[in-house]
Amino acid sequence: MTNIIKLKTGSPFEDQASYSRLVVVDNWIYVSNTAGRNPQTKVIPEDILEQTHQVFANIETALAAVDASLADVVCSRVFIQDPKDVPAVMALIGEKFRGVDPASTVTCPPLGSTVYKVELEVTAYRNASKAHVEVIRLSL
């Protein structure tokens, strides 16, 4: 039988838009697009890197609630409001995912509000961090 967990953080947006912060289907973990709002203070930092750090803190908290971590992430989708912020954000994401190397998409669409400068959505597989990984390098 398939087990499904739906994680709610108490955000009013989850009830308003009928979604979960994270959904687990067996070992697959789907984390909704996550912004840099501090859940305790409700503050969104103005600085893009501070927002990105908060995005990761929010995602790490959600993953930890279902016995997973950033090391289990297999795919990320990065949404950056302003293309000029891409190098700084991707450098920080590179640090966070160093050695994890998930598949990744980066795009610069308008986000739900101009206060959001970066959002991140990830897919993880529980215990992927413990799996045997084979790296294949193509010569171009």
Side-chain angles (χ1 to χ4, degrees):
M1 173 176 277
T2 300
N3 292 315
I4 296 176
I5 299 168
K6 295 182 179 183
L7 179 74
K8 303 286 189 171
T9 65
S11 166
F13 301 115
E14 294 168 353
D15 289 334
Q16 180 184 24
S18 300
Y19 75 95
S20 300
R21 170 61 36 214
L22 169 154
V23 174
V24 181
V25 180
D26 291 327
N27 284 323
W28 284 104
I29 305 166
Y30 304 92
V31 181
S32 293
N33 206 16
T34 303
R37 182 184 309 274
N38 181 305
Q40 283 76 38
T41 66
K42 309 300 184 221
V43 171
I44 300 172
E46 189 142 334
D47 179 76
I48 184 79
L49 294 179
E50 288 180 38
Q51 271 195 36
T52 307
H53 279 291
Q54 186 63 58
V55 166
F56 273 102
N58 295 346
I59 290 172
E60 288 174 288
T61 297
L63 288 170
V66 295
D67 298 319
S69 72
L70 287 180
D72 295 314
V73 171
V74 296
C75 186
S76 71
R77 285 152 302 280
V78 184
F79 305 93
I80 303 168
Q81 185 104 259
D82 190 334
K84 75 174 175 43
D85 291 326
V86 169
V89 170
M90 292 314 297
L92 178 53
I93 288 174
E95 290 173 23
K96 289 289 196 176
F97 284 137
R98 186 85 53 228
V100 178
D101 301 331
S104 183
T105 298
V106 181
T107 188
C108 297
L111 299 177
S113 169
T114 56
V115 299
Y116 303 134
K117 295 182 179 181
V118 60
E119 294 185 2
L120 180 63
E121 174 187 340
V122 301
T123 302
Y125 189 82
R126 198 180 345 240
N127 294 319
S129 58
K130 298 174 184 154
H132 168 75
V133 176
E134 178 181 354
V135 177
I136 299 172
R137 297 194 185 273
L138 298 178
S139 298
L140 300 179

